[in-house]
Amino acid sequence: MPELRTTYLGLNLRNPLVASASPYSKKVEKAKELADAGVGALVMHSLFEEQINHESRALDHFLNQGTESFAEALTYFPEMDHYDVGPEKYLKLIGELKKSLSIPVIASLNGVSSGGWVDYSRRMQDAGADALELNIYFLSTDPTVTSSDLEKAQVELVQQITESVRIPVAVKLNPFYTSLPNFAARLVDAGAKGLVLFNRFYQPDLDIEALEVVPTLDLSKPAELRLPLRWVAILYGKLKADLALTTGVHSGEGVVKALMAGSQVAMMASHLVHHGAGEAANVLKELESWMAAHEYTSVDQMRGALSQKGVANPAAFERANYLQVLTSFDTKLK
Ligand SMILES: Cc1cc2nc3c(=O)[nH]c(=O)nc-3n(C[C@H](O)[C@H](O)[C@H](O)COP(=O)(O)O)c2cc1C
C-alpha cells in the first residue's frame, strides 16, 4: 500500500487530506465523523475579529451599566451564562475537539486589523490548538488606499500573531495580489509556517426586481481547482513554508493534482458539506488506488512533480501559455 503519511506545519498527519474550515467543527459529533472517515487533520470554522470585538464591547457595556458599586457589579456575573459568549465557547470547543479526536486540530482566526482580538491567538494555543490558521479575508474598496499600505498592515498583523504564539501559524490568503510571490515571501519572513491558497470570496448577486444585493454562498465546483493549482505550482520550492491548497478539491484525483503541483496537503470543504463526511473515506481510497496504479509509493514522491520547477515547460504556467490557449480556439469557431 502506498505511504500516505505526511507532515503539515511540522505536525504528523496520517494522510494529506485535511478538512478545510467549515461548519463541521461546530459540533464534536460532526467533526468526529470526519476523523472517523479518515481525514488527516481538521481546520475549525473561524472565530471572527468582529465576534471578539462585539463581545468585548458588549461585556464593557454590561459591566458598566448601573455599576454603582463593585459588589453590585459582581452580582451581574452569573447572568453572563445566558449571554452570547461566542469566543469563550470557541475556546471551550477547541478543548472538546482535542479530547475527542486523535488528529491535529487547527483553530482558525479571521480578521485584518490589529487590536485586542489578536490576543485570541494565544488563547487558542492555550486551549490546546495544534496550530493556527489566520484568515486575512479582506476586500479593498477605497481608491485612496494603496496595495503596499494594505500589504504592510497584513504582514505586521501576521508578525504580531506569530510572535505571540509557540504553535505554528498558517496564513489563508486571497488570490488577488499584484505580486503574490512577493507578498507570500513577506508573510513567510513574518513567521508564517504555511500558506493556505486560497480564500474563496463569496460573490454577492444583485436582485434586479427587489433592487437588493443578495449575499450568496455557492459551494465550489471542481474547475475552481485550477486557480490555486497554478499558484501552488508557481510557489512550490520558492518559500520556506508549507503550501496547502484549498478550493475545488472534490476527488482523489483533485488531491493528486494538489500534491503534484506542490502542496503539502489538500483541503476540502464543499465536497464534504455537500456529500457528507463519509466521502472523505472514498476520496482517500481514490488517492490510494491512483497511487498504486501509477506505482507511487509515497505522497512525498509525487509532491511537486508538476510544479513550475518540475515540468519540462515552466512557461505553461505563465503569460506565454495565454496566447497559446487563445489561439487554440481559433479553429473551433462554429
Ligand atoms: C459552509 C462553509 C463554511 C465555511 N466557513 C469557513 C470559515 O469559517 N473560515 C474559513 O477560513 N473558511 C471557511 N470556508 C471556506 C472553506 O474552508 C474553503 O476554503 C473553501 O470553501 C474552498 O474549498 P472547497 O472548494 O473545498 O469548498 C467555508 C466554506 C463553506 C462551504
Side-chain angles (χ1 to χ4, degrees):
M1 273 302 180
E3 176 60 82
L4 295 190
R5 271 181 298 187
T6 189
T7 60
Y8 175 53
L9 308 175
L11 305 167
N12 292 314
L13 270 55
R14 57 187 168 178
N15 64 63
L17 179 65
V18 171
S20 197
S22 83
Y24 266 104
S25 54
K26 290 188 178 172
K27 291 217 161 67
V28 176
E29 317 84 77
K30 296 303 286 178
K32 206 161 175 315
E33 285 177 22
L34 285 174
D36 290 346
V39 297
L42 170 79
V43 183
M44 291 175 69
H45 60 288
S46 297
L47 177 62
F48 289 79
E49 170 185 347
E50 290 82 351
Q51 278 176 287
I52 298 168
N53 291 343
H54 170 77
E55 182 183 79
S56 67
R57 270 196 300 275
L59 185 62
D60 278 353
H61 178 76
F62 187 82
L63 292 177
N64 293 326
Q65 285 275 312
T67 52
E68 292 86 6
S69 75
F70 183 63
E72 200 178 334
L74 281 182
T75 64
Y76 289 135
F77 272 104
E79 289 183 35
M80 286 304 289
D81 285 348
H82 305 298
Y83 193 73
D84 172 34
V85 281
E88 294 305 322
K89 266 192 199 149
Y90 192 99
L91 296 175
K92 198 161 151 246
L93 183 59
I94 295 175
E96 288 166 2
L97 289 168
K98 276 301 294 170
K99 211 158 26 156
S100 312
L101 310 179
S102 54
I103 53 172
V105 173
I106 301 171
S108 168
L109 198 52
N110 198 317
V112 280
S113 58
S114 59
W117 68 276
V118 166
D119 212 35
Y120 270 81
S121 51
R122 200 180 28 75
R123 298 188 68 184
M124 285 173 163
Q125 165 188 282
D126 296 346
D130 294 293
L132 194 70
E133 188 173 284
L134 172 68
N135 185 330
I136 44 176
Y137 189 112
F138 185 75
L139 198 77
S140 175
T141 53
D142 182 345
T144 66
V145 177
T146 68
S147 50
S148 73
D149 288 344
L150 284 174
E151 288 180 12
K152 186 165 169 283
Q154 292 179 2
V155 169
E156 281 169 7
L157 173 65
V158 170
Q159 185 149 16
Q160 203 182 340
I161 288 182
T162 56
E163 282 173 358
S164 63
V165 291
R166 294 181 312 276
I167 54 174
V169 177
V171 180
K172 187 172 187 178
L173 62 158
N174 311 320
F176 309 118
Y177 288 89
T178 307
S179 176
L180 184 69
N182 174 264
F183 183 58
R186 285 160 59 207
L187 293 175
V188 176
D189 284 346
K193 294 279 182 280
L195 298 178
V196 183
L197 311 176
F198 288 114
N199 254 326
R200 189 164 168 265
F201 277 131
Y202 298 106
Q203 321 288 1
D205 201 356
L206 300 182
D207 182 332
I208 55 175
E209 298 303 329
L211 297 182
E212 278 174 0
V213 178
V214 188
T216 312
L217 194 167
D218 293 325
L219 297 178
S220 75
K221 306 227 163 29
E224 292 178 53
L225 176 65
R226 293 195 215 137
L227 177 68
L229 207 54
R230 164 191 254 178
W231 281 109
V232 167
I234 290 173
L235 293 178
Y236 178 72
K238 293 185 181 152
L239 304 169
K240 282 206 177 74
D242 286 345
L243 300 173
L245 185 150
T246 168
T247 296
V249 179
H250 285 251
S251 62
E253 193 181 295
V255 179
V256 171
K257 287 184 184 179
L259 294 169
M260 290 211 165
S263 69
Q264 201 65 20
V265 292
M267 293 185 168
M268 186 177 262
S270 291
H271 190 69
L272 298 171
V273 168
H274 189 202
H275 296 284
E279 256 302 292
N282 294 334
V283 170
L284 286 165
K285 234 180 273 157
E286 282 166 22
L287 169 66
E288 213 160 34
S289 311
W290 191 93
M291 287 174 68
H294 294 77
E295 300 182 357
Y296 283 99
T297 54
S298 72
V299 289
D300 290 342
Q301 202 187 5
M302 292 157 67
R303 190 169 289 115
L306 292 176
S307 65
Q308 193 176 26
K309 284 189 167 168
V311 293
N313 176 20
F317 291 105
E318 298 173 4
R319 179 181 160 85
N321 190 237
Y322 171 51
L323 181 64
Q324 202 185 340
V325 168
L326 292 188
T327 49
S328 74
F329 252 81
D330 292 355
T331 52
K332 292 184 190 162
L333 288 183
K334 298 231 160 70

